């Protein structure tokens, strides 16, 4: 799969922080504070955004392990956090190699919408067997809305969502449906599951993020190949113009999940 750019992750982090559902985040923090010296494993950690969110709210010490396959992102996490966290490079597909000893909570953000049903089922079985809770935030749910509509919005969204179903390194991805499968699977495995919407709201101040987000949408829609190229170009010009000149608002649907044992 293509790597995630650390500048892109940095740009989206403030929007992610605001988007996270406050009640589920507080409940995840509370679950850690109820334990003495808990250990958290953040999977697909990037540069450590979930660590930053949780650790800044925790009033008791916790031990964090950050796991990712991309050494450039782990290097950035090391630069930002030094020895405050353990950094582990590895492939999530190798579940047996996950460092889960002593872990009471696994966390993830913007990860499960990349995953296949098969991976989600294997992963849930793996953590359920060990009695480990899960806080999985910011799973894309297939919704996108702009303050000013364009006639092609629906067609573009349909192509983008269909493109999300390609293989992102875990087999064919469930994309926008991943969060529901994850929540159902956790419920079937005996977890108490809470879900909450955590939509991204990108306003005029997030112009750069909106531009890059649009670039990604347009690239995916071209690649998917179902829409006429001239139509895509018209839509992209309209949207870019809105971002640059009128400061349009864009909402992108996400879902947070907290599953406790
Ligand atoms: C969208 S980014 C999210 C990063 C971070 N959680 C955040 O919210 O900023 C997805 C992350 O999953 C990691 N990832 C993707 N596939 C992986 C795999 N097979 N094993 C380990 N990490 C993986 C990527 O390197 C990337 O850091």
């Amino acid at each position: 799969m293509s790597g995630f750019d650390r500048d892109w992750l940095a740009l989206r982090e403030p929007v992610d922080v605001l988007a996270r559902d406050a009640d589920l985040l507080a409940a995840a923090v509370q679950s850690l504070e109820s334990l003495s010296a808990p250990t958290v494993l953040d999977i697909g950690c990037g540069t450590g955004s979930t660590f930053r969110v949780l650790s800044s709210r925790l009033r008791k010490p916790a031990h964090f392990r950050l796991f990712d396959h991309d050494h450039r992102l782990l290097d950035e996490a090391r630069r930002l956090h030094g020895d405050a966290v353990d950094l582990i490079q590895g492939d999530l597909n190798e579940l047996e190699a996950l460092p889960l000893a002593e872990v009471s909570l696994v966390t993830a953000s913007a990860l499960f919408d990349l995953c296949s049903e098969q991976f989600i089922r294997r992963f849930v079985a793996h953590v359920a067997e060990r009695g480990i809770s899960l806080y999985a935030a910011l799973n894309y749910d297939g919704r996108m809305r702009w303050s000013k509509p364009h006639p092609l919005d629906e067609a573009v969204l349909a192509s983008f969502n269909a493109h999300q179903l390609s293989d992102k390194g875990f087999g064919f991805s469930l994309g926008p449906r991943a969060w529901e499968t994850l929540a159902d699977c956790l419920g079937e495995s005996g977890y108490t599951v809470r879900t909450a919407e955590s939509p991204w709201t990108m306003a005029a101040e997030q112009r750069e993020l909106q531009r890059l987000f649009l670039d990604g949408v347009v690239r995916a829609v071209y690649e998917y190949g179902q829409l006429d190229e001239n139509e895509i170009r018209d839509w992209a010009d309209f949207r870019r113009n809105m971002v640059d000149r009128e400061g349009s608002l864009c909402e992108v649907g996400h879902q947070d999940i907290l599953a406790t044992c």
Side-chain angles (χ1 to χ4, degrees), residues 217-226 228-230 232-233:
V217 171
V218 169
R219 209 166 30 245
V221 171
Y222 269 122
E223 268 176 33
Y224 192 61
Q226 289 291 302
D228 178 81
E229 293 197 358
N230 291 324
I232 302 174
R233 201 168 306 118

Side-chain angles (χ1 to χ4, degrees), residues 1-6 8-10 12-13 16 20 42-52 67-74 88-94 98 107-115 119 137-138 168-170:
M1 64 170 287
S2 58
F4 288 88
D5 179 56
R6 72 173 191 196
W8 160 251
L9 294 181
R12 55 175 287 175
E13 188 164 334
D16 282 350
R20 285 174 188 263
D42 186 39
I43 56 174
C45 62
T47 67
S49 64
T50 294
F51 161 69
R52 288 187 279 282
F67 185 97
D68 206 286
H69 66 170
D70 188 331
H71 72 87
R72 295 161 315 149
L73 298 177
L74 292 174
I88 302 133
Q89 187 176 12
D91 183 353
L92 273 167
N93 289 289
E94 289 157 25
L98 275 184
T107 61
S109 53
L111 176 73
F112 280 96
D113 46 37
L114 305 174
C115 298
F119 174 81
L138 299 160
K168 316 274 188 206
F170 297 93

